Amino acid sequence: MTEDIKAVSAQVDSGVVEHVENESNLKIVTKINQRNAEIYQEALQRYPDDAAIDEESEKRLKRKLDKRILPLLGVCYFFYYVDKTTLSYAAIFGIQSDLHLKASEYSWLSSIFYFGWLFWSIPSNLIMQRCPPAWYLSFNITMWGVLLMCQEAAGSFASLTVLRILSGAFEAIADPAFMLITSMYYTREEQPSRISAWYAWNGIGVAGGGLIGYGIGQVKGQLESWRYEFIVVGALCTFWGIVLFLLLPNSPTTFWGFNKQERLLMIARMRRNQTGVEQQVINWSQIKEAYFDYKTWLFVLFGFVGAVPNGGISNFSTLVIKGLGFNTLHTALLGIPQGIFIVFWIGLGALVNKYMPPNSRTTVSALFMLPTIAGGLGFLFAPADAYVGRLICFYLTGSYQASFVISLSLATSNTGGQSKKMIVAGMIWFGSCVGNIVGPFFYKADQAPSYHLGIGSLLVANVAEFILFFVLRYAFKWENRRKEKIRAALRETGVITDSADGLNATAFQDLTDKENPNFVYVY
């Protein structure tokens, strides 16, 4: 069935034919193109359709998955964010004066990290496809920590530059790996809330960075305070890398702590996604499709405009707050409510999305851009002596995090085929890298403490992201109309692709979203 359906899809997409005739040789044949295919076949035999899945058993399984996966990813994301903000806290504890860094050199240290990420993002994603994903992720996290501890010994701009480039390369896999693992164990309906659950630790990382920063501010040791931050955070990252190696699953077929029936159910319910689960063979035709798919480039643009504000805020937030008149230790403490606001926005976004009608993700994402835009305007135009008001406006700018998180689920839910998923995930963060490289340069030292250009760049990027959500919404609705045309053409031949047999036939063939006639985009 696979090659015939690919041919029919291509014909209908290209407009060569309006309908398909004389294709009675099309057959519904279930073909498994996943690692450990015999277990997937057994899962489909045990649960031939969704009606065969007991609702209570599935709820118990989801709770168990949540307990086993989300805390591991969440704590990792906490360290992931704290790791990236160590330079920001090092700035308020004197790294610039101790290493005699110029203002432009500090901006370059903020950006240079993402050059390593930019260079290694796609190769690292393809390596992950060939490897057990949890072990590959844990190796990279361990290396984050080692390199972060090495930054403690840096004595110059040049040495810090090399270490931060290498750190960026090892961190390139983090977000794509988290997205991949989420898509392996959760249905498309469940993915927004689960991505929100681990991404919310980003905010806890912001708050935790404040606590760590405050604690380091009290240290009176032989080293400068900022060096202790690199040592402590680096050691914690290394430790958590080892924890992930021991506890994070590589595959639904080998997830320890689950009995065989739970594993079969774990696999069978992924049929609804129609995106595949695991395939270690790189498919170069899928890679080509990914780069020629216009939706990939919309996701790249989304990654870019979503990261321009983050690139500045993650590295300059402490300097912005300190510039409002607060001392060093109070600046570290005021990072705590900033993190709490981020957790609040992400949690609220997930909750609103859960209770909205189906296909409301882009609408909810656009809605949560509005407080960010309002906060940016308030910070930009409020009187210079309105310190508390401007601080509140600065906290409001965190609402874009909810939009970004929900939108990540658009990528995990709307991309099929393992190699294509690797490329699309990598390209999102490729765009994000460019945004993070550009972002810090809008924060000019001579504009402190207001940073008008930096806050202005935040506003422009936010408005662009707001518009992009509606572009994505229209694109996915248009693609669904094309898919229905393909299914109608197949129905004329007597082939009902969206029957139970048809869904089983396409679920685990490692088809891309474009190739799979049963694929329905969510928006």
Side-chain angles (χ1 to χ4, degrees):
M1 177 184 176
T2 308
E3 294 301 322
D4 287 327
I5 281 190
K6 285 184 182 179
V8 171
S9 298
Q11 287 178 342
V12 175
D13 278 348
S14 63
V16 173
V17 293
E18 291 298 320
H19 61 277
V20 181
E21 298 176 350
N22 301 320
E23 291 288 350
S24 57
N25 61 320
L26 286 173
K27 303 294 183 184
I28 296 291
V29 178
T30 299
K31 179 183 177 184
I32 307 296
N33 192 11
Q34 305 285 303
R35 192 161 64 95
N36 298 316
E38 67 281 356
I39 301 179
Y40 282 82
Q41 185 67 52
E42 186 178 355
L44 294 180
Q45 291 172 351
R46 174 67 179 83
Y47 302 99
D49 55 35
D50 286 347
I53 296 176
D54 177 67
E55 187 176 340
E56 289 303 315
S57 297
E58 186 176 13
K59 286 181 179 179
R60 286 194 298 271
L61 177 65
K62 285 192 289 185
R63 287 194 292 269
K64 192 171 180 180
L65 286 170
D66 288 344
K67 292 176 182 177
R68 293 289 303 277
I69 294 175
L70 297 182
L72 292 172
L73 296 183
V75 173
C76 184
Y77 217 76
F78 168 84
F79 290 129
Y80 175 54
Y81 189 85
V82 170
D83 177 12
K84 288 195 295 184
T85 57
T86 47
L87 184 64
S88 179
Y89 279 96
I92 64 173
F93 289 121
I95 189 174
Q96 289 170 285
S97 58
D98 290 340
L99 296 187
H100 309 291
L101 299 176
K102 301 175 184 177
S104 61
E105 288 178 334
Y106 178 76
S107 291
W108 269 111
L109 286 176
S110 302
S111 295
I112 204 73
F113 170 90
Y114 293 99
F115 280 94
W117 189 335
L118 193 69
F119 171 76
W120 195 238
S121 58
I122 300 302
S124 193
N125 272 266
L126 293 177
I127 292 172
M128 180 169 65
Q129 183 178 351
R130 298 286 294 162
C131 298
W135 289 354
Y136 185 66
L137 174 64
S138 65
F139 165 74
N140 280 269
I141 291 168
T142 302
M143 291 305 300
W144 298 352
V146 171
L147 288 166
L148 196 61
M149 287 188 285
C150 289
Q151 290 179 49
E152 174 274 329
S156 66
F157 171 71
S159 58
L160 261 181
T161 296
V162 172
L163 289 169
R164 284 187 64 78
I165 290 174
L166 292 173
S167 294
F170 281 107
E171 291 199 22
I173 200 59
D175 289 289
F178 287 14
M179 292 166 65
L180 173 65
I181 291 168
T182 304
S183 69
M184 290 173 68
Y185 299 95
Y186 294 102
T187 66
R188 297 199 293 177
E189 291 75 15
E190 297 158 1
Q191 287 171 17
S193 60
R194 269 59 181 193
I195 292 176
S196 297
W198 52 255
Y199 200 98
W201 285 76
N202 181 336
I204 298 174
V206 175
L211 291 172
I212 293 170
Y214 182 79
I216 292 171
Q218 310 305 309
V219 174
K220 305 299 180 184
Q222 294 182 339
L223 300 175
E224 296 92 338
S225 294
W226 59 268
R227 295 188 187 273
Y228 289 108
E229 177 142 0
F230 286 122
I231 294 172
V232 172
V233 177
L236 290 173
C237 287
T238 302
F239 168 75
W240 201 251
I242 297 170
V243 171
L244 289 184
F245 179 83
L246 297 173
L247 299 180
L248 194 63
N250 284 305
S251 166
T253 63
T254 58
F255 199 161
W256 67 272
F258 290 82
N259 61 42
K260 184 176 182 180
Q261 289 305 313
E262 287 175 322
R263 291 177 185 173
L264 293 177
L265 176 56
M266 200 183 300
I267 291 168
R269 68 195 213 98
M270 292 298 100
R271 168 179 45 221
R272 303 167 198 164
N273 288 358
Q274 294 288 314
T275 58
V277 177
E278 50 183 337
Q279 171 55 264
Q280 290 188 313
V281 177
I282 294 175
N283 187 323
W284 293 101
S285 68
Q286 290 189 9
I287 293 175
K288 179 181 178 181
E289 179 182 317
Y291 280 114
F292 280 90
D293 189 338
Y294 74 93
K295 297 187 295 297
T296 300
W297 298 101
L298 288 178
F299 282 131
V300 172
L301 180 59
F302 161 73
F304 173 76
V305 297
V308 168
N310 180 69
I313 289 175
S314 63
N315 290 290
F316 284 86
S317 60
T318 53
L319 297 179
V320 171
I321 294 172
K322 188 175 182 179
L324 293 176
F326 301 98
N327 64 30
T328 298
L329 293 180
H330 287 160
T331 297
L333 287 174
L334 286 170
I336 297 173
Q338 181 187 4
I340 292 173
F341 268 104
I342 290 173
V343 174
F344 166 76
W345 288 121
I346 293 174
L348 183 61
L351 190 65
V352 171
N353 183 70
K354 180 179 179 180
Y355 290 103
M356 288 286 282
N359 288 323
S360 295
R361 297 186 200 187
T362 49
T363 304
V364 173
S365 296
L367 176 67
F368 275 86
M369 293 304 301
L370 298 178
T372 292
I373 294 171
L377 288 170
F379 189 92
L380 199 60
F381 295 112
D385 58 353
Y387 300 123
V388 175
R390 296 179 74 201
L391 182 63
I392 292 172
C393 287
F394 186 72
Y395 289 155
L396 280 176
T397 62
S399 74
Y400 80 94
Q401 300 270 13
S403 304
F404 189 80
V405 170
I406 295 170
S407 298
L408 288 180
S409 72
L410 290 174
T412 59
S413 298
N414 288 321
T415 309
Q418 199 72 2
S419 294
K420 185 175 181 180
K421 284 193 283 187
M422 295 297 99
I423 296 299
V424 172
M427 289 300 290
I428 291 172
W429 299 102
F430 182 94
S432 180
C433 278
V434 177
N436 276 295
I437 289 170
V438 171
F441 289 97
F442 289 109
Y443 290 78
K444 302 292 185 181
D446 58 1
Q447 293 183 356
S450 61
Y451 293 104
H452 281 80
L453 183 60
I455 300 300
S457 71
L458 178 148
L459 281 168
V460 172
N462 288 158
V463 171
E465 189 174 352
F466 179 84
I467 295 170
L468 185 57
F469 288 128
F470 293 100
V471 174
L472 286 167
R473 184 176 184 85
Y474 173 81
F476 290 134
K477 291 174 75 171
W478 181 66
E479 290 287 353
N480 280 343
R481 289 194 293 269
R482 295 175 66 184
K483 286 291 183 184
E484 180 51 41
K485 186 177 181 181
I486 293 171
R487 289 190 291 272
L490 288 169
R491 280 193 291 269
E492 291 185 14
T493 72
V495 176
I496 310 300
T497 61
D498 49 3
S499 64
D501 287 342
L503 292 171
N504 286 338
T506 56
F508 302 118
Q509 285 198 31
D510 195 37
L511 298 174
T512 67
D513 50 286
K514 185 176 180 180
E515 294 168 341
N516 188 346
N518 286 328
F519 196 92
V520 178
Y521 295 92
V522 295
Y523 49 86

